Amino acid sequence: MTGKNLSQDTNKDVPLRNDIHLLGDLLGETLKQFGGRRLFETEERVRALCKQLRTKRAPEIERELRRLLHSLSLDDEIGVIRAFSVYFQLVNIAEQHHRIRRKKHYELHSPEEPQRGSIAATLREIRQDGRVTRRQMQEVIDRLEIIPVMTAHPTEAARRTLLEKHRRIAGLLDESDGKELSARRRTELRARLAAEIESIWQTDEVRQTQLTPLDEVANTLYYFDSTLFEAVPRLMEELGQQLESQFPGVQVGDRAAPLRFGSWVGGDRDGNPNVKPDTTWHTLRLQQRTVLRHYRDAVYALSRRSSESERYSTVSDALLASLDVDAAQLPITAGIVTRQNPEEPYRRKLTYIHARLLNTLERNEDLESALRIETPKHLLSIRPAMPIIEALGGSKSAGKSCYRTGRQLWDDLRLVRDSLREAKSEYAAREVDRLMRQVAVFDLHLATLDIRQHSARHTAALAEITRALGFERDYERMNEEERVAWLTAELTTPRPLVATDARFSEETTETLNVFRVVRRALEEISESAIRSYIVSMTRDASDLLAVLVLAKQAGLTELAIVPLFETIDDLRRAPEVMARLFENPAYGARLESQHRLQEVMIGYSDSSKDGGILTSSWELYKAQERLSGVAHAHAVELRLFHGRGGTVGRGGGPSHEAILAQPRGTVAGRIKITEQGEVVSSKYSLPEIALRSLELTTAAVIRASLPHKEEEEESADRLAHWKTAMERLSEDAFAAYRRIVRETPGFYEYFIQATPVEELQHLRIGSRPAKRKSGSQSIDDLRAIPWVFGWTQSRHLLPGWLAVGTALQNFLAGTRRKNLALLREMYRDWKFFHSAVSNIEMTLAKADFQIARQYAARTEDRDLGKRIFKTLEAEYLLTREMILKITEKRDLLDSAPVLQRSIRVRNPYVDPMSYLQIELLARQRAGKHDDPKLLYAILLTINGIAAGMRNTG
């Protein structure tokens, strides 16, 4: 297998082409070695036929390809699938490395023209624009709050063990870029690359065991360990340096954390029965253990370097005074450092810090026994004495000096840094300052864990409780007005809702125990370990008040309750719901404890599945504007939480452009965004890529929070005209989408038969079921992830474009020329519309209806497949035509040649896996009994196509 044709001969792409060629050659050698020449020749023949089909869609070539694939044994098919799958793994590594190479090129050779989207380029543009004062910039920097939130949503098909191999290959490619390498060294690097590729070939890419929530936690912690710890201080340093360069005097506060991280992994229980209260507890312990080990190692390294002697370096009085306190609190350590380092105060101080970190780690280990749920019967009691809420007591670490807050650790490090600065040891002080930046961001909890649960669970719990209390009309039977009245009264009474000896069902008891675990975590692990409780499918004000009542039962009085508005109808009603909450006296009291900051989450995935991409995008835009207005009217600070997925159909696309496309005034320095599935690995698996990703987000948030020239050009009348047009487009798109997806007979059956979505559950890429209700045949109960993943596998990609063509065609009917000019103006001048059209265009370019036709032709009901495919193909072609009219391009992605070329050269390598998947699915579904090897082959195609298509879910 070679990669000779995967890039044009442009100067900047020559290194990428060379890398792919090298990796392809090494893979070819591996195929011959382990699969034999026959496998290599078969793979090459399949590849050649698929390339010919891309050049000329000839029936005779397609027949030859089918004959060849049909003649293969199942073992041969598995070998071919694996060859293309591994190839794409290597191509993806090479492309990521090339991104790093291009970044370095800008830094080394174009310092006066910084890379587009970087902090340097953005701040320079803002300064040159001349509309932003230093005071305005300082205000934005002071309120800057960027929170990427890691989720366990299952769209990452690659195993962690493979991701680690990918990282080593990227490192070897980086070493190979050296200009002064000897021939011997180049030979050695090539041999090491070959060894990694051999290892990948011999590694099973399909998981053999189902992931548990704690497995997902470990996968997430990998990114913090491998890249994020180091990326954060580098980002802060870059931001500080560029601010000083462009806006002298503007600074990032000493203990400011403009960037911090969140996580849902181990806290998201919506539809996941595997996330229990003890799962959340152990997740928080693992997160704390990870960050403490990093601090321990960093402090040890600093102490090894800090040999400054009192004979040659001055020491601040504050640091000397702290050493006396340390000696009294840590007498054993004091005896050691006094004897070994009598004249080295910095080393002594760092040794004390190290000792406290060890004690804190020991305390973390002791917390393992703090939560025990041995059998289900123990869950049926909510008595305060149950193990889940027992006090610790008797632990080995009790009484030892340790850190209870990140601020305590930061203050100790500050004493060292400030003293070094006073002593003019600036370089040594910088090393301590880097660690302080990490402590400010990661504290003692690493990432703030969000708790998420479906509103129906709280309703069910309160219904059972009110029945037990003898209510004539239990909570479930109350109307909204009655619920709000009762909940408000309950929140103002000091008595507990239920007696200590009350007993409830396992489900209700678990719901109550979650709040107890949250309280325990805030007391025992970190006061910042959990800040938000997210309520999925928020429909009314009572959905949030209900959570406050349940939290009050556990003694939680400061937990922030976050509504999640997901469907089109919910987004439309969100401002009204929040207004009622802001006006509720009990909720108002809770807002005061949160400094009148309200977080609101908006869901991209479910709204897109519910109403289509165009309507979803528009309703999200309007909801943000209206929510911002409601918050302002009630003197509430609003932080929007964007629940975006990896693909356009789930709100994905370039995050930098997406942030800039938000409604004016809604970012205001604050943003929270989910990072899901394969997006996490693509953005954070390599240190330089992680830094670039965080930099793009930070730069975009700063830009979106400040006035700029384009806002002046968007006059109120002009913007109102655009919005009127968008409203009409959205209405037509919504009607067309619902007509196709909801009203077309057999549409759900087509989805099941024309995609591998049913087989996806066997891939074991997540701990959460694909459906909200087991056995349901409703699109409503199907999660957005398998909905998008399935359509991507079969190359339809319809969640990213369906119904857009019909809406645009309707808009252009009649006054065609006038409305076409309007749409082109909107595309040119309105960031929101430009971003929406660009994302739809990218999805259209990735879709392939020649391949999709093959899936449709092999459906169990051929007439159904033919009928629905014809509808979808017509809509696809119409959408393509309309988008090209608006963009005024001859072909899709003409304005993005790099992406256009990447898709074109990838397609011939994805096609073989699609053809094989179609054949294997037909065989699987026609079989009278399960064949594990056949299913395994199908799973390999799913992995391979995911690697080839990149953002799959």
Side-chain angles (χ1 to χ4, degrees), residues 160 212-222 224-225 229 263 265-266 278-294 360-361 363-368 442 444-447 449 521 525 529:
R160 176 177 165 181
T212 68
L214 290 181
D215 290 330
E216 293 170 331
V217 171
N219 289 341
T220 302
L221 294 179
Y222 166 78
F224 286 95
D225 252 341
F229 276 132
S263 177
V265 190
D278 59 331
T279 307
T280 298
W281 176 258
H282 292 307
T283 296
L284 292 166
R285 285 184 53 255
L286 289 169
Q287 287 188 175
Q288 185 180 67
R289 190 184 308 172
T290 299
V291 76
L292 287 174
R293 286 173 174 172
H294 173 80
T360 311
L361 265 169
R363 183 177 180 279
N364 177 278
E365 297 288 344
D366 288 348
L367 290 176
E368 183 172 7
F442 299 112
L444 297 187
H445 61 275
L446 184 69
L449 189 68
I525 293 178

Side-chain angles (χ1 to χ4, degrees), residues 260-425:
R260 54 188 176 86
F261 293 88
S263 177
W264 280 12
V265 190
D268 179 12
R269 55 217 343 111
D270 176 16
N272 192 343
N274 302 306
V275 179
K276 304 291 186 182
D278 59 331
T279 307
T280 298
W281 176 258
H282 292 307
T283 296
L284 292 166
R285 285 184 53 255
L286 289 169
Q287 287 188 175
Q288 185 180 67
R289 190 184 308 172
T290 299
V291 76
L292 287 174
R293 286 173 174 172
H294 173 80
Y295 295 155
R296 175 199 64 190
D297 294 344
V299 168
Y300 179 76
L302 284 173
S303 70
R304 296 284 293 173
R305 291 196 296 268
S306 300
S307 57
E308 291 88 351
S309 170
E310 287 177 301
R311 293 175 183 269
Y312 305 108
S313 176
T314 59
V315 186
S316 69
D317 292 340
L319 179 60
L320 290 172
S322 75
L323 290 173
D324 293 336
V325 175
D326 294 336
Q329 294 178 350
L330 295 160
I332 296 177
T333 304
I336 297 171
V337 298
T338 301
R339 183 176 67 254
Q340 295 183 350
N341 314 104
E343 296 184 353
E344 296 173 342
Y346 294 107
R347 181 168 282 171
R348 294 209 307 276
K349 181 64 180 179
L350 288 166
T351 303
Y352 286 129
I353 294 173
H354 187 264
R356 283 197 179 91
L357 286 169
L358 290 177
N359 289 343
T360 311
L361 265 169
E362 185 179 345
R363 183 177 180 279
N364 177 278
E365 297 288 344
D366 288 348
L367 290 176
E368 183 172 7
S369 61
L371 185 123
R372 288 281 187 247
I373 302 177
E374 298 174 1
T375 63
K377 66 181 181 180
H378 290 289
L379 286 171
L380 300 179
S381 169
I382 59 169
R383 293 189 300 273
M386 69 177 295
I388 196 170
I389 56 171
E390 283 180 345
L392 271 173
S395 67
K396 293 182 292 182
S397 60
K400 292 185 178 180
S401 180
C402 60
Y403 292 111
R404 299 302 298 262
T405 69
R407 181 59 188 259
Q408 293 172 337
L409 172 58
W410 190 90
D411 284 341
D412 269 354
L413 291 169
R414 179 176 55 82
L415 289 170
V416 177
R417 184 202 62 185
D418 289 354
S419 182
L420 286 168
R421 282 181 176 170
E422 288 179 26
K424 300 181 181 180
S425 299

Side-chain angles (χ1 to χ4, degrees), residues 529-596:
I530 296 170
R531 293 182 179 178
S532 301
Y533 190 108
I534 299 166
V535 185
S536 295
M537 289 297 171
T538 297
R539 298 277 162 78
D540 290 299
S542 62
D543 290 327
L544 267 65
L545 295 173
V547 178
L548 288 181
V549 167
L550 295 171
K552 172 177 169 282
Q553 175 67 23
L556 283 169
T557 58
E558 294 186 359
L559 185 66
I561 312 302
V562 179
L564 169 50
F565 299 105
E566 300 178 77
T567 67
I568 298 298
D569 185 56
D570 292 342
L571 287 169
R572 290 170 176 169
R573 296 175 62 244
E576 175 192 345
V577 171
M578 296 312 300
R580 289 203 303 271
L581 281 166
F582 293 155
E583 292 160 9
N584 181 282
Y587 195 83
R590 177 58 61 97
L591 265 179
E592 292 300 328
S593 71
Q594 301 293 326
H595 308 290
R596 299 197 68 76

Side-chain angles (χ1 to χ4, degrees), residues 745-889:
F747 188 86
Y748 181 83
E749 288 72 20
Y750 177 84
F751 171 61
I752 297 299
Q753 295 177 29
T755 75
V757 68
E758 291 291 277
E759 288 72 20
L760 179 63
Q761 62 184 313
H762 299 287
L763 201 53
R764 304 184 181 95
I765 59 175
S767 68
R768 190 168 71 166
K771 296 178 181 178
R772 287 188 169 92
K773 296 179 182 177
S774 178
S776 172
Q777 298 299 303
S778 167
I779 289 176
D780 290 328
D781 291 326
L782 184 72
R783 294 192 178 279
I785 290 170
W787 172 254
V788 174
F789 203 110
W791 289 120
T792 303
Q793 285 282 312
S794 63
R795 314 286 283 279
H796 291 73
L797 277 84
L798 67 81
W801 56 263
L802 187 62
V804 175
T806 294
L808 292 171
Q809 183 183 54
N810 291 348
F811 189 76
L812 294 178
T815 56
R816 184 182 185 89
R817 183 173 298 175
K818 180 180 177 181
N819 282 355
L820 180 57
L822 175 60
L823 291 176
R824 287 173 174 173
E825 176 189 290
M826 291 163 62
Y827 175 70
R828 183 182 65 247
D829 297 337
W830 191 14
K831 284 186 179 295
F832 163 75
F833 192 69
H834 188 280
S835 176
V837 170
S838 296
N839 284 335
I840 292 165
E841 182 183 11
M842 179 181 68
T843 308
L844 291 169
K846 285 193 168 189
D848 191 299
F849 266 69
Q850 292 296 333
I851 298 296
R853 184 190 305 276
Q854 310 302 318
Y855 283 88
R858 301 297 287 271
T859 53
E860 296 167 40
D861 185 336
R862 300 297 171 87
D863 291 337
L864 172 71
K866 186 181 297 184
R867 172 170 56 84
I868 293 183
F869 177 79
K870 184 178 179 180
T871 299
L872 296 179
E873 183 182 36
E875 182 65 26
Y876 170 81
L877 293 173
L878 177 61
T879 304
R880 188 180 188 278
E881 177 189 350
M882 294 296 105
I883 291 295
L884 290 174
K885 282 184 182 296
I886 294 170
T887 61
E888 301 181 79
K889 302 294 191 303

Side-chain angles (χ1 to χ4, degrees), residues 148-168:
V149 180
M150 308 299 180
T151 77
H153 286 23
T155 62
E156 171 58 84
R159 294 175 57 198
R160 176 177 165 181
T161 187
L162 287 172
L163 294 176
E164 290 171 343
K165 297 178 193 299
H166 296 173
R167 186 177 179 185
R168 289 196 293 271

Side-chain angles (χ1 to χ4, degrees), residues 25-273:
D25 284 348
L26 292 174
L27 177 58
E29 292 173 11
T30 298
L31 295 184
K32 294 173 190 174
Q33 179 180 352
F34 294 98
R37 178 162 288 278
R38 182 167 173 270
L39 172 60
F40 176 76
E41 291 175 349
T42 300
E43 170 272 315
E44 288 291 291
R45 182 59 184 154
V46 170
R47 180 173 66 89
L49 289 170
C50 287
K51 287 185 67 176
Q52 290 177 44
L53 276 174
R54 282 286 165 180
T55 305
K56 178 185 177 184
R57 183 61 63 173
E60 61 274 13
I61 299 176
E62 192 165 52
R63 284 195 296 270
E64 183 180 353
L65 175 62
R66 285 180 172 177
R67 280 197 301 270
L68 173 58
L69 296 177
H70 191 69
S71 69
L72 299 177
S73 68
L74 186 54
D75 286 335
D76 289 339
E77 288 172 325
I78 288 173
V80 171
I81 295 164
R82 295 198 66 223
F84 284 103
S85 180
V86 172
Y87 181 63
F88 272 119
Q89 293 179 43
L90 300 177
V91 170
N92 292 341
I93 298 167
E95 288 186 348
Q96 279 202 317
H97 173 63
H98 191 59
R99 286 176 60 194
I100 297 171
R101 183 188 283 129
R102 295 302 302 162
K103 184 175 184 292
K104 290 179 179 178
H105 174 82
Y106 274 99
E107 293 171 349
L108 291 172
H109 304 291
S110 305
E112 299 305 315
E113 294 183 16
Q115 195 171 12
R116 179 177 172 272
S118 65
I119 290 174
T122 300
L123 292 181
R124 175 179 294 188
E125 291 166 6
I126 294 171
R127 179 181 59 79
Q128 291 174 346
D129 184 56
R131 287 167 173 78
V132 174
T133 65
R134 292 181 185 178
R135 179 177 177 180
Q136 287 174 311
M137 179 61 75
Q138 186 66 65
E139 287 174 353
V140 168
I141 296 301
D142 286 345
R143 64 183 283 119
L144 207 57
E145 188 179 36
I146 300 164
I147 311 174
V149 180
M150 308 299 180
T151 77
H153 286 23
T155 62
E156 171 58 84
R159 294 175 57 198
R160 176 177 165 181
T161 187
L162 287 172
L163 294 176
E164 290 171 343
K165 297 178 193 299
H166 296 173
R167 186 177 179 185
R168 289 196 293 271
I169 289 174
L172 291 169
L173 290 176
D174 185 54
E175 285 190 64
S176 300
D177 281 344
K179 293 182 179 179
E180 299 182 359
L181 292 177
S182 65
R184 180 177 178 181
R185 180 58 178 160
R186 289 196 182 278
T187 300
E188 180 186 342
L189 290 173
R190 192 181 193 280
R192 289 174 62 188
L193 280 169
E196 292 293 347
I197 293 171
E198 285 181 6
S199 179
I200 288 175
W201 180 257
Q202 293 177 303
T203 299
D204 192 349
E205 59 211 82
V206 175
R207 292 186 178 91
Q208 297 304 308
T209 57
Q210 183 68 47
L211 280 178
T212 68
L214 290 181
D215 290 330
E216 293 170 331
V217 171
N219 289 341
T220 302
L221 294 179
Y222 166 78
Y223 296 102
F224 286 95
D225 252 341
S226 61
T227 63
L228 291 175
F229 276 132
E230 296 308 314
V232 163
R234 291 177 61 189
L235 178 75
M236 295 299 100
E237 288 164 7
E238 174 68 7
L239 179 58
Q241 290 169 8
Q242 295 304 325
L243 283 170
E244 181 60 32
S245 172
Q246 302 299 329
F247 292 88
V250 177
Q251 296 180 332
V252 180
D254 197 23
R255 197 173 181 272
L259 171 74
R260 54 188 176 86
F261 293 88
S263 177
W264 280 12
V265 190
D268 179 12
R269 55 217 343 111
D270 176 16
N272 192 343

